[in-house]
Amino acid sequence: MKITDSIKYVGVNDHQVDLFEGQYKVPNGMSYNSYVILDEKVAVMDTVDAHFTDEWLGNLARVLDGRKPDYLVVQHMEPDHAANVANFMKAYPETTVVANAKTFVMIKNFFELDLEGRKLVVENGSSLSLGSHTLTFVFAPMVHWPEVMVTYESSEKVLFSADGFGKFGALDVEEDWDDESRRYFIGIVGKYGAQVQALLKKAAALDISIICPLHGPVLTENLGHYIGLYDTWSSYRPEEEGVVIAYTSVYGHTKKAVELLAEKLKANGAPKVVVYDLARDDMSAAVADAFRYSRLVLATITYNGSIYPFMNDFVTRLVEHNFQNRTVGLIENGSWAPTAARVIKKMMEGSKNIKWTDTTVTIMSAVKQENVEQIEAMAKELC
Ligand SMILES: [Fe+2]
Ligand SMILES: [Fe+2]
């Protein structure tokens, strides 16, 4: 696949992966992108996942068409991209590996590979000429590991953005970019909003025509849309007005309260209401939507003096990913001692700029008239 006359795609599609990074469902698979820049010198940008060594080396050989690569640029050491560094160096032993000092430490940790005389240690902002193409390396620590750097090629205005602007889903499947990119971003990079903001500031100073990420499609049009979404997500601003209700229920009473709330929200004109059963629906989609919308309601039973395990997992993920700037309401249920609201507020006490609704719904087993009134009051507050 051709990106430009001299930049070629040599990545692979993965439809075998059951859980990406050991936890994310990827119904449309995953792509591990890798690129080749053909100039007086030839540079290969990153490798791919361990399961695709032969396919990737085959793609590479076809594009190289008998030439030998001069450089392997390693932007990110996570194994979905860097698993084939040693295999590549076995196939092309005369290549110079181009990476920063942190990356070379990780290469040693992963491969015990001796690269003496075959490495070029780059600094933040340093450049490498390939002939008519010039690569400039911009360090992007914690987007998404500490060694990450992105690479700007100035002659064709291409940003090789590492995990940035990546998404779930293989390239041979048509699907909406925003949803699967949001789920990817919030799940994988979401904790590092400040670092993404720093990278966006650096990127704003560059004239960019093409973004080549390590996952998902190459972006060539409407770049403002993608960069705008990244700015929204990494600054933890809600993307849309709407209410997410995330709940756990064992015998259906808490679920009944949630259904009633959803109905009342719609009746009060809520622009969007999205409901997640945390035991059954995809957790990463629920987390991504909690960040997408402006309001959140957590509804859970009390369990072992705390909250139900799926809700515990959900709130932990929100807090870990720096959930902030949202209005949050609570519905708790307990047959003898409801404690869920107190437990959740304690878990989220370090979360910035959370506005709790005045109404907390407290159900003792089954929804009663007083609860219906509380739910009506909460619906009004959220609209
Ligand atoms: Fe990564
Ligand atoms: Fe990745």
Side-chain angles (χ1 to χ4, degrees), residues 6-291:
S6 44
I7 303 177
K8 316 287 177 188
Y9 181 84
V10 291
V12 298
N13 287 319
D14 184 354
H15 287 288
Q16 264 77 62
V17 59
D18 61 341
L19 293 173
F20 180 68
E21 289 196 357
Q23 59 166 317
Y24 298 101
K25 288 180 188 147
V26 280
N28 288 333
M30 205 61 208
S31 77
Y32 312 117
N33 300 343
S34 166
Y35 306 90
V36 176
I37 308 170
L38 297 166
D39 200 328
E40 284 163 34
K41 302 276 188 189
V42 175
V44 177
M45 305 299 294
D46 295 292
T47 84
V48 299
D49 183 85
H51 296 93
F52 297 88
T53 308
D54 293 342
E55 185 181 340
W56 175 65
L57 287 174
N59 292 349
L60 201 52
R62 256 191 310 282
V63 163
L64 290 170
D65 196 21
R67 292 187 69 182
K68 291 245 151 51
D70 298 277
Y71 301 113
L72 172 66
V73 178
V74 181
Q75 302 185 105
H76 182 15
M77 273 307 291
E78 196 167 13
D80 51 335
H81 310 294
N84 281 298
V85 170
N87 291 327
F88 174 91
M89 291 307 283
K90 208 185 264 174
Y92 300 105
E94 283 136 60
T95 311
T96 297
V97 177
V98 179
N100 60 42
K102 280 187 182 145
T103 298
F104 281 112
V105 172
M106 289 188 181
I107 288 177
K108 265 232 149 79
N109 291 344
F110 274 107
F111 301 109
E112 297 183 89
L113 184 63
D114 181 15
L115 290 173
E116 229 18 75
R118 300 185 291 169
K119 63 184 195 183
L120 177 63
V121 185
V122 300
E123 301 295 332
N124 186 22
S126 67
S127 293
L128 174 67
S129 172
L130 305 176
S132 66
H133 293 78
T134 303
L135 304 179
T136 300
F137 306 104
V138 178
F139 290 9
M142 300 321 293
V143 184
H144 123 252
W145 277 18
E147 84 296 0
V148 170
M149 63 182 192
V150 302
T151 305
Y152 179 64
E153 197 294 300
S154 49
S155 73
E156 303 200 78
K157 302 180 177 138
V158 180
L159 179 68
F160 295 92
S161 58
D163 276 337
F165 300 98
K167 75 179 261 302
F168 295 131
L171 296 187
D172 53 2
V173 179
E174 282 277 334
E175 65 178 356
D176 179 67
W177 190 89
D178 295 8
D179 284 348
E180 282 300 76
S181 185
R182 183 190 306 104
R183 192 166 69 90
Y184 172 87
F185 177 89
I186 299 296
I188 289 170
V189 200
K191 179 179 170 61
Y192 304 108
Q195 289 83 350
V196 174
Q197 282 283 309
L199 179 60
L200 288 175
K201 287 212 173 74
K202 290 181 194 171
L206 303 171
D207 184 7
I208 300 167
S209 302
I210 301 174
I211 297 176
C212 291
L214 288 177
H215 304 285
V218 171
L219 306 173
T220 56
E221 285 170 352
N222 205 7
L223 298 188
H225 171 75
Y226 306 109
I227 293 168
L229 281 176
Y230 256 63
D231 183 41
T232 301
W233 297 337
S234 61
S235 57
Y236 304 105
R237 291 195 306 269
E239 194 181 323
E240 281 174 58
E241 289 296 327
V243 186
V244 173
I245 311 174
Y247 76 93
T248 62
S249 185
V250 173
Y251 294 108
H253 294 292
T254 310
K255 182 178 181 180
K256 196 172 166 198
V258 165
E259 285 167 350
L260 186 61
L261 177 64
E263 201 179 288
K264 300 282 175 199
L265 284 166
K266 285 174 198 156
N268 278 283
K272 183 97 192 191
V273 180
V274 188
V275 178
Y276 283 100
D277 175 346
L278 295 176
R280 292 177 178 82
D281 295 330
D282 180 50
M283 184 65 76
S284 69
V287 172
D289 268 352
F291 281 86

